[in-house]
């Protein structure tokens, strides 16, 4: 809080100021929270009860209403693989040089033999009009979770590169063949335009 005294060149008591009709000006500063827009991932929470909006490049993911596979709402995505990969892909329009908030919730239910080559990832790509990749990052459940540890929510803020026209999301459950099985769940995949927090001011006494 900062305080300044108007119309006075000398130090005066509050009472004297009030008697002289001078005003005290106070400025309060605070951080306004960041603002998230609407989720632009089509069917990012699988609440249609199926994989509408997604393209299944490699089968293995199943939309489930089993409470063990749902982070929020009624449905979530369940994957079981004992050889190879299960891959879902979704994409949608985006803008360049825009701040986006990315979120996903993942669970490692079971990982037999602790296969070092097995993983569960949600991967985001910034694409241009010719489908060239301008940037990418991922949430990798195996880096931060152990089987049976429950759900973990992931979040990241990124600015889209110059030339971005689309964002692509991939859900990849992978297990090296013959090395046991991988059982996972995924839910609440979100991409939102994000307005960062700002410092705001309130002036009192003006």
């Amino acid at each position: 809080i900062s305080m300044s005294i108007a119309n006075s060149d000398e130090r005066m008591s509050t009472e004297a100021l009030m008697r002289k009709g001078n005003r005290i000006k106070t400025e309060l500063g605070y951080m306004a929270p960041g603002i998230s827009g609407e989720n632009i991932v089509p069917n990012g929470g699988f609440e249609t009860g199926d994989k509408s909006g997604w393209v299944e490049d490699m089968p293995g993911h199943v939309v489930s209403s089993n409470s063990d596979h749902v982070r929020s709402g009624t449905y979530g995505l369940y994957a079981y693989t004992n050889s190879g990969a299960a891959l879902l892909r979704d994409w949608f329009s985006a803008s360049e040089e825009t701040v986006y908030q990315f979120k996903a919730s993942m669970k490692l239910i079971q990982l037999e033999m602790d296969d070092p080559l097995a993983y569960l990832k949600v991967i985001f790509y910034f694409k241009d009009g010719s489908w060239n990749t301008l940037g990418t990052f991922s949430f990798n459940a195996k880096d931060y979770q152990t089987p049976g540890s429950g759900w973990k929510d992931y979040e990241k803020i990124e600015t889209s590169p110059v030339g971005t026209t689309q964002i692509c999301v991939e859900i990849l459950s992978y297990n090296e063949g013959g090395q046991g099985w991988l059982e996972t769940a995924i839910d609440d995949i979100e991409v939102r335009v994000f307005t960062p927090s700002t410092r705001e001011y309130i002036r009192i006494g003006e």
Side-chain angles (χ1 to χ4, degrees):
I1 297 173
S2 61
M3 179 178 289
S4 60
I5 300 174
N7 303 325
S8 177
D9 294 325
E10 59 180 329
R11 300 182 64 181
M12 309 174 70
S13 69
T14 302
E15 291 183 0
L17 285 170
M18 293 176 66
R19 286 196 301 270
K20 288 180 172 290
N22 288 287
R23 295 178 299 168
I24 298 175
K25 181 177 69 177
T26 303
E27 186 176 83
L28 303 175
Y30 68 97
M31 292 302 293
I35 301 173
S36 301
E38 294 184 0
N39 185 16
I40 59 176
V41 180
N43 199 22
F46 307 99
E47 290 304 303
T48 60
D50 55 24
K51 288 172 278 191
S52 297
W54 296 82
V55 174
E56 190 166 40
D57 290 343
M58 301 178 189
H61 291 105
V62 177
V63 175
S64 170
S65 60
N66 185 323
S67 60
D68 195 39
H69 308 149
V70 178
R71 182 69 175 91
S72 69
T74 304
Y75 297 96
L77 193 69
Y78 169 74
Y80 174 91
T81 177
N82 60 4
S83 179
L87 176 63
L88 276 181
R89 180 179 289 126
D90 200 353
W91 59 89
F92 39 89
S93 298
S95 301
E96 63 180 357
E97 297 184 286
T98 301
V99 180
Y100 288 98
Q101 178 186 52
F102 299 83
K103 291 184 176 183
S105 297
M106 293 186 280
K107 177 197 283 190
L108 286 179
I109 300 171
Q110 191 166 201
L111 178 59
E112 186 189 36
M113 298 175 62
D114 192 26
D115 181 2
L117 297 179
Y119 53 77
L120 168 61
K121 290 183 177 182
V122 176
I123 311 168
F124 297 92
Y125 301 89
F126 296 105
K127 298 282 190 175
D128 65 12
S130 299
W131 203 244
N132 297 308
T133 298
L134 304 177
T136 184
F137 68 92
S138 65
F139 301 138
N140 188 349
K142 194 177 178 186
D143 288 347
Y144 301 98
Q145 296 176 249
T146 57
S149 61
W151 288 96
K152 181 173 176 59
D153 301 329
Y154 296 81
E155 179 179 353
K156 189 175 179 66
I157 304 294
E158 286 283 333
T159 300
S160 57
V162 173
T164 297
T165 61
Q166 296 184 83
I167 292 175
C168 176
V169 185
E170 290 184 347
I171 302 172
L172 179 60
S173 302
Y174 178 81
N175 191 14
E176 188 72 14
Q179 298 296 313
W181 64 76
L182 173 67
E183 191 178 4
T184 66
I186 308 98
D187 202 359
D188 297 338
I189 298 175
E190 300 180 3
V191 178
R192 302 173 185 270
V193 175
F194 184 73
T195 303
S197 59
T198 56
R199 180 168 290 280
E200 304 287 347
Y201 296 93
I202 298 175
R203 293 179 182 269
I204 301 174
E206 286 192 310

